[in-house]
Amino acid sequence: MKLFMLLAGLIAVPSFAAAGGDLDANDYVGVSFWLVTAALLAATVFFFLERDNVSAKWRTSLTVSGLVTGIALWHYLYMRGVWVETGTSPTVFRYIDWLLTVPLLIVEFYLILRAVTDVAASLFWKLFVGSIVMLVFGYLGEAGIMAAWPAFIIGCLAWFYMIYVLWGGEGAAARDASGNAAVQSAYNTMMYIIIIGWVVYPAGYFLGYLAGGVNEGTLNLVYNLADFINKILFGIVIWAAAVSDNN
Ligand SMILES: *C/C=C(C)/C=C/C=C(C)/C=C/C1=C(C)CCCC1(C)C
């Protein structure tokens, strides 16, 4: 079954990818789209195959990591095409990708805690709703449906709220109570990714909409590298905790 899905994917992918036109070797932004696409493919295969190498309680976390990179892979195929053909930011594809992958990423905190300790469903909802509010207001601001500043401020408040829940709120309490070293260290690394790795996205919004413009190429290059850390590395941290947890 897995092999079948993999083969179906490999056959289907090039027909979409071909729509992207030629990739110019000097177009380093286009090349970065290409490299991250390949890395997302590898990461997706890796997370799904590694499910078999971890104990049952960790499998959902690895599945979700694979869904995140798989969904992003799908969007990257199209985003590269938009960039190569138009030289502009694929904003709509980025936001659809974020809308699907960011809630899945943030919910991983709940999942890794749930693998080793009792954790209330309210933690899931706080993080999930926080991520949706952040993205919806970001999009309203970028699309010009709402004024750029208030949308940005509400989006940032939602992000700070998630950081608060993870740093000092319900998430931190569950982490401390879990008494599981593998989960605690993964939790902390993941939390720093949410705090530091995620700065790139509001910074891009700020420069582009509030500070008078940003170079589209630089913006996309930085977003692509950030996605590598925030999606692939994030999943690897979870995988590392899963394989080192032997309780
Ligand atoms: C894989 C994609 C990821 C991790 C995307 C993350 C996106 C954000 C953290 C976006 C944050 C924003 C704000 C904090 C304020 C409003 C504007 C946004 C949506 C860019």
Side-chain angles (χ1 to χ4, degrees):
M1 186 58 195
K2 264 182 197 155
L3 196 63
F4 171 76
M5 281 164 59
L6 200 63
L7 286 175
L10 289 177
I11 292 163
V13 160
S15 58
F16 290 106
D22 275 344
L23 184 59
D24 178 351
N26 298 317
D27 175 8
Y28 55 90
V29 180
V31 170
S32 78
F33 273 109
W34 186 270
L35 288 175
V36 176
T37 307
L40 287 167
L41 173 62
T44 306
V45 174
F46 179 77
F47 292 136
F48 281 115
L49 292 180
E50 284 297 308
R51 284 180 88 255
D52 293 340
N53 293 335
V54 300
S55 60
K57 62 187 182 185
W58 282 99
R59 287 196 186 132
T60 310
S61 301
L62 289 199
T63 302
V64 172
S65 293
L67 292 178
V68 166
T69 54
I71 292 167
L73 163 67
W74 177 256
H75 288 90
Y76 262 77
L77 293 171
Y78 289 86
M79 292 201 293
R80 194 198 81 262
V82 172
W83 173 260
V84 167
E85 281 174 9
T86 69
T88 62
S89 295
T91 307
V92 176
F93 283 133
R94 279 230 192 257
Y95 266 89
I96 301 173
D97 172 72
W98 293 357
L99 198 61
L100 297 169
T101 58
V102 171
L104 288 171
L105 285 169
I106 200 83
V107 155
E108 288 275 28
F109 286 93
Y110 170 78
L111 292 175
I112 65 163
L113 289 167
R114 204 196 54 175
V116 298
T117 187
D118 283 335
V119 45
S122 53
L123 177 64
F124 171 95
W125 288 111
K126 284 177 183 173
L127 296 172
F128 182 78
V129 172
S131 68
I132 301 283
V133 170
M134 177 182 83
L135 296 171
V136 166
F137 280 92
Y139 189 74
L140 293 178
E142 294 218 24
I145 298 166
M146 191 177 159
W149 263 114
F152 180 72
I153 291 169
I154 298 172
C156 285
L157 288 176
W159 176 41
F160 296 153
Y161 172 71
M162 289 183 278
I163 293 173
Y164 162 74
V165 169
L166 295 172
W167 183 277
E170 210 177 326
R175 172 200 60 198
D176 295 344
S178 77
N180 182 299
V183 163
Q184 288 173 339
S185 119
Y187 182 104
N188 291 337
T189 309
M190 289 156 64
M191 184 170 69
Y192 284 113
I193 291 180
I194 302 299
I195 299 170
I196 300 164
W198 282 21
V199 168
V200 161
Y201 309 97
Y205 179 108
F206 179 82
L207 294 174
Y209 297 95
L210 303 171
V214 64
N215 179 285
E216 302 255 310
T218 312
L219 182 70
N220 280 284
L221 183 67
V222 173
Y223 275 178
N224 293 352
L225 295 177
D227 279 356
F228 186 90
I229 293 168
N230 298 325
K231 293 185 165 77
I232 298 176
L233 196 69
F234 192 86
I236 290 175
V237 170
I238 294 167
W239 166 81
V243 289
S244 73
D245 175 35
N246 36 31
N247 301 308

